[in-house]
Amino acid sequence: MVRPILRYGAPMLHDVAAPVAPAAVTGPATTALIHDLIETLRDAKGVGLAAPQVGVGQRICIVDVSGGQNPSDLLVLVNPTFEAREGLQLELEGCLSLPGFEATVPRPLRVRVRHLDRDGRERTIEGEGLLARAIQHEVDHLDGVLFIDRLQSISRRLILRKIRQRRTRGTW
Ligand SMILES: [Zn+2]
């Protein structure tokens, strides 16, 4: 089921999400949630989506740098934690919860992440470039952080002003 994606300002997007009990990962509720996250991401043609973006405060996110073109690129990350982050990349970034906005966000270039997969198995993955960026963007969502929170205050204020204008017009 495709779920509606919350937009900037929805309280759930600004809260820290709760860890998932390992025994619950393969349970019916989490399995259904992961299935819905995948359908919602494919529908939105994005590269990543986190559970809080569909209104669920749990530490689950998915990343697909192929944008749905290559099924083996789909990553399901439950309770992700960074073991290492290094380097620096500066690339344009957007977010399904901030449609219409993009900005250059500084991020580490490479990451190593420990997580549970959708079968509840412990895994460690390494990524760099776009994959590292997408993972960090999604894990930020689990901590209530959006990409504009990582911008310098002048760029952030500019975007927030435009969001307020859209709210006034009823288009946000
Ligand atoms: Zn996002």
Side-chain angles (χ1 to χ4, degrees):
M1 182 180 76
V2 174
R3 301 197 191 190
I5 298 174
L6 298 178
R7 290 191 176 184
Y8 183 92
M12 176 68 73
L13 289 177
H14 307 279
D15 275 351
V16 177
V20 181
V25 174
T26 54
T30 307
T31 301
L33 171 62
I34 290 169
H35 187 83
D36 287 355
L37 284 171
I38 294 167
E39 280 197 3
T40 305
L41 180 65
R42 299 238 157 105
D43 179 67
K45 298 179 169 58
V47 297
L49 187 66
Q53 291 180 279
V54 297
V56 179
Q58 295 186 356
R59 301 188 76 80
I60 301 173
C61 58
I62 63 172
V63 168
D64 180 357
V65 292
S66 79
Q69 297 304 301
N70 184 1
S72 66
D73 279 348
L74 178 74
L75 282 172
V76 176
L77 308 176
V78 179
N79 299 341
T81 56
F82 291 107
E83 289 191 326
R85 277 189 269 198
E86 59 178 34
L88 175 69
Q89 55 175 318
L90 286 165
E91 299 290 341
L92 267 186
E93 200 162 315
C95 178
L96 295 173
S97 293
L98 284 151
F101 295 104
E102 279 187 331
T104 302
V105 185
R107 301 269 188 194
L109 178 63
R110 280 179 290 274
V111 295
R112 189 166 68 245
V113 190
R114 183 199 292 266
H115 65 98
L116 301 178
D117 67 13
R118 64 196 300 182
D119 298 315
R121 289 178 298 219
E122 275 225 28
R123 298 214 176 242
T124 302
I125 54 158
E126 293 186 2
E128 79 172 75
L130 175 61
L131 177 58
R133 165 173 299 278
I135 290 170
Q136 293 176 89
H137 177 113
E138 297 313 322
V139 175
D140 266 358
H141 274 299
L142 307 181
D143 292 323
V145 175
L146 284 97
F147 82 84
I148 65 168
D149 299 326
R150 295 198 173 277
L151 302 179
Q152 293 192 325
S153 64
I154 188 161
S155 319
R156 186 168 182 270
R157 280 206 303 273
L158 201 66
I159 291 176
L160 290 177
R161 189 188 306 155
K162 288 180 182 161
I163 291 174
R164 275 198 301 275
Q165 287 166 353
R166 289 196 195 174
R167 275 210 191 104
T168 309
R169 292 200 301 266
T171 57
W172 187 258

